[in-house]
């Protein structure tokens, strides 16, 4: 069932099985999918070789032109192709793993990008790339970069600040206006807080019978924040910063955002001056983190404690700013608004819980909360798992 990559003279040809996937078993389809991944990686390895030879013999500009003409990519992508291909020559292990189909192309590109940004341990990353899905691997790369950075993360943050970019243009295809931007993690987290806060406000004002899609709501939140800023009222952008207290030197050390992104101490002092930090020190007695049945909606302090514990959506790792506090035992069935009955979930995973029966499980080993898909009621029958015909609106909290 595997895809064969066949070369005739200089031409690469693919032999794709003629079997109808509908008639294959689940195991066969999974094997076939994994063979697609290996074939794509091997093709990417061959492409790298071709582009590098073009660049070595005719120069960078000619290689970019060849990529643009023959691969039909944009100018920007052609430039990136040539740069990435060149950097792979210095990353022998990654290149070898790519050419043998062991690591996917996107993973190899990420290793190449990280190698421009600073020192990395290539062997560790190439090994992780063999089995980690892309989003998990991207986190591994970031962690690896932090471990090899020679200061407390200041140089990484400086580079990220320098690479910030914003674009606003009218799409030629459909006349829609597109707004996009890339930001350093500190600015990005503050933007996420401001936008998600506005989004929650819009959600509360909506007619529950006639809701916008989450995407429409985010678009409206952005437009309102830009076009109708409320006079004198700044949007909420208080960051949750976690730090350790060094008892000996009586100072804060090892400051980080709740996803683990380190904050250089210089940056922390600057943020502290703006009073934009929510202290990550919780005194259970004074902060009232155990509300029982007194209150249904989680408080700001509880949300901060949840962000600290869950780090983001327990189902998909989405940023805490986009998450809602979900009652594991529903409020309507007597569930209390206490930390051990609350988890952070994003809107999509919240839907999975309420509409599709996904379950919150506390992992006995790690103590972390996880989201589990309900078991398939018709295993091996070739029938898709049962889905209720209607989606019900999800309750916030
Ligand atoms: Zn999620």
């Amino acid at each position: 069932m595997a895809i064969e990559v066949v070369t005739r003279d200089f031409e690469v040809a693919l032999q794709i099985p003629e079997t109808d996937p509908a008639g294959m078993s689940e195991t066969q389809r999974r094997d076939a999918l994994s063979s697609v991944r290996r074939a794509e990686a091997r093709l990417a390895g061959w492409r790298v070789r071709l582009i590098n030879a073009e660049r070595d013999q005719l120069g960078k500009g000619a290689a970019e032109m060849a990529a643009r003409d023959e691969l039909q990519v944009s100018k920007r992508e052609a430039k990136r192709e040539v740069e990435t291909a060149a950097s792979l020559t210095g990353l022998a292990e990654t290149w070898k793993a790519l050419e043998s189909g062991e690591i996917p192309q996107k993973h190899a590109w990420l290793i190449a990008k990280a190698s421009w940004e600073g020192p990395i341990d290539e062997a560790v990353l190439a090994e992780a790339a063999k089995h980690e899905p892309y989003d998990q691997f991207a986190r591994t790369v970031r962690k690896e970069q932090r471990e090899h950075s020679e200061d407390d993360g200041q140089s990484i943050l400086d580079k990220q600040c320098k690479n910030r970019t914003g674009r606003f243009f009218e799409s030629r295809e459909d006349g829609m206006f597109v707004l996009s931007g890339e930001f350093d993690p500190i600015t990005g987290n503050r933007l996420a807080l401001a936008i998600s806060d506005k989004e929650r406000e819009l959600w509360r004002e909506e007619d529950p019978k006639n809701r916008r899609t989450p995407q429409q709501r985010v678009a409206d939140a952005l437009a309102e924040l830009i076009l109708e800023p409320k006079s004198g009222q700044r949007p909420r952008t208080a960051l949750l910063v976690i730090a350790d207290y060094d008892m000996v030197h009586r100072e804060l050390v090892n400051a980080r955002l709740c996803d683990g992104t380190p904050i250089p101490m210089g940056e922390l002092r600057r943020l502290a001056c703006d009073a934009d930090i929510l202290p990550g020190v919780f005194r259970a007695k004074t902060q009232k983190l155990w509300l029982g049945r007194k209150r249904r909606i989680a408080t700001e302090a509880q949300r901060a404690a949840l962000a600290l514990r869950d780090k983001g959506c327990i189902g998909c790792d989405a940023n805490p700013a986009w998450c809602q506090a979900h009652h594991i035992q529903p409020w309507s069935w007597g569930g209390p608004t206490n930390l051990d009955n609350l988890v952070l979930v994003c809107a999509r995973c919240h839907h999975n819980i309420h509409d599709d029966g996904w379950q919150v499980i506390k992992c006995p080993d790690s103590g972390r909360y996880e989201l589990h898909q309900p078991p398939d009621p018709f295993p091996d029958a070739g029938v898709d798992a049962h889905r209720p015909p209607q989606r019900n609106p999800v309750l916030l909290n």
Side-chain angles (χ1 to χ4, degrees):
M1 216 70 74
I3 289 181
E4 296 289 332
V5 183
V6 203
T7 47
R8 251 176 258 110
D9 299 326
F10 309 122
E11 295 246 330
V12 178
L14 288 181
Q15 272 183 9
I16 295 175
E18 281 172 18
T19 326
D20 178 5
M24 291 156 61
S25 73
E26 191 190 345
T27 321
Q28 286 172 326
R29 271 197 298 266
R30 278 173 167 262
D31 287 348
L33 274 175
S34 107
S35 96
V36 169
R37 185 201 69 221
R38 287 192 301 274
E40 282 176 348
R42 288 175 58 198
L43 279 176
W46 176 232
R47 196 169 78 218
V48 166
R49 269 184 197 280
L50 291 169
I51 290 174
N52 276 343
E54 190 79 359
R55 186 191 51 124
D56 290 347
Q57 290 178 14
L58 303 171
K60 198 162 165 266
E64 281 173 20
M65 192 78 86
R68 185 162 158 73
D69 291 346
E70 307 307 334
L71 301 174
Q72 293 186 323
V73 294
S74 69
K75 272 186 193 152
R76 205 169 144 212
E77 281 172 287
K79 193 161 173 271
R80 185 162 279 194
E81 279 281 343
V82 175
E83 284 170 354
T84 311
S87 68
L88 276 178
T89 53
L91 298 166
E93 280 179 70
T94 308
W95 195 357
K96 204 175 122 227
L98 178 70
E99 289 203 303
S100 59
E102 283 179 295
I103 67 174
Q105 179 207 312
K106 276 173 80 183
H107 292 54
W109 271 212
L110 206 56
I111 299 178
K113 188 164 168 272
S115 76
W116 299 331
E117 290 170 354
I120 51 162
D121 186 337
E122 192 204 345
V124 169
L125 291 182
E127 192 51 43
K130 287 177 190 166
H131 47 84
E132 289 182 2
Y134 187 75
D135 47 355
Q136 190 188 343
F137 180 63
R139 279 197 299 278
T140 303
V141 171
R142 279 215 302 278
K143 196 163 144 259
E144 184 69 16
Q145 282 181 307
R146 267 179 235 144
E147 271 167 22
H148 285 83
S149 100
E150 272 137 26
D151 47 30
D152 60 349
Q154 186 69 54
S155 58
I156 294 176
L157 184 66
D158 288 347
K159 208 166 280 171
Q160 286 168 326
C161 288
K162 200 169 149 255
N163 288 344
R164 70 189 180 277
T165 162
R167 295 200 307 156
F168 186 50
F169 60 92
E170 188 183 347
S171 159
R172 285 196 199 132
E173 287 148 37
D174 55 9
M176 298 286 279
F177 276 77
V178 181
L179 171 65
S180 80
E182 288 180 40
F183 304 89
D184 68 86
I186 293 176
T187 312
N189 271 286
R190 294 174 69 184
L191 283 170
L193 282 167
I195 297 167
S196 65
D197 221 37
K198 188 70 179 174
E199 198 215 334
R200 249 186 279 268
E201 186 189 314
L202 296 180
W203 189 92
R204 284 193 295 270
E205 291 165 359
E206 266 173 13
D207 172 4
K209 291 194 198 80
N210 186 20
R211 290 210 177 275
R212 291 167 265 207
T213 65
Q215 292 81 0
Q216 288 172 334
R217 210 177 300 116
V218 169
D220 293 347
L222 268 171
E224 275 204 24
L225 282 171
I226 295 169
L227 298 174
E228 304 157 28
K230 284 197 184 125
S231 51
Q233 196 185 333
R234 281 179 67 191
R236 180 181 70 112
T237 60
L239 277 185
L240 175 65
V241 176
I242 304 147
D244 302 327
Y245 186 65
D246 181 341
M247 300 287 269
V248 178
H249 299 99
R250 298 188 172 209
E251 60 180 10
L252 290 174
V253 291
N254 193 18
R256 57 213 183 265
L257 298 173
C258 47
D259 66 355
T261 304
I263 299 183
M265 289 320 282
E267 193 63 31
L268 184 66
R269 272 179 223 117
R270 201 185 64 75
L271 284 169
C273 290
D274 286 351
D276 256 348
I277 300 184
L278 201 66
V281 183
F282 303 106
R283 293 194 194 87
K285 281 180 199 153
T286 53
Q287 285 280 12
K288 296 209 176 87
L289 291 178
W290 302 84
L291 299 174
R293 300 281 299 166
K294 271 183 268 171
R295 216 187 118 109
R296 176 177 163 188
I297 299 197
T299 59
E300 194 69 5
Q302 279 182 320
R303 287 180 52 85
L306 287 173
L308 185 62
R309 186 193 70 193
D310 294 344
K311 313 244 175 338
C313 171
I314 59 160
C316 69
D317 269 351
N319 189 299
W322 300 112
C323 291
Q324 303 152 359
H326 163 72
H327 284 81
I328 302 172
Q329 190 197 356
W331 171 263
S332 51
W333 296 357
T337 305
N338 288 347
L339 286 185
D340 60 359
N341 191 41
L342 296 170
V343 284
L344 282 188
V345 281
C346 71
R348 199 174 48 116
C349 292
H350 214 168
H351 262 296
N352 286 341
I353 295 174
H354 285 271
D355 297 343
D356 291 346
W358 287 54
Q359 279 171 347
V360 178
I361 310 268
K362 190 172 183 181
C363 174
D365 298 329
S366 63
R368 293 188 61 85
Y369 290 91
E370 292 169 356
L371 206 52
H372 288 221
Q373 198 170 1
D376 187 349
F378 309 110
D380 294 331
V383 185
D384 203 5
H386 170 71
R387 293 270 180 281
Q390 263 196 324
R391 290 194 161 263
N392 303 315
V394 157
L395 293 171
L396 263 183
N397 281 271

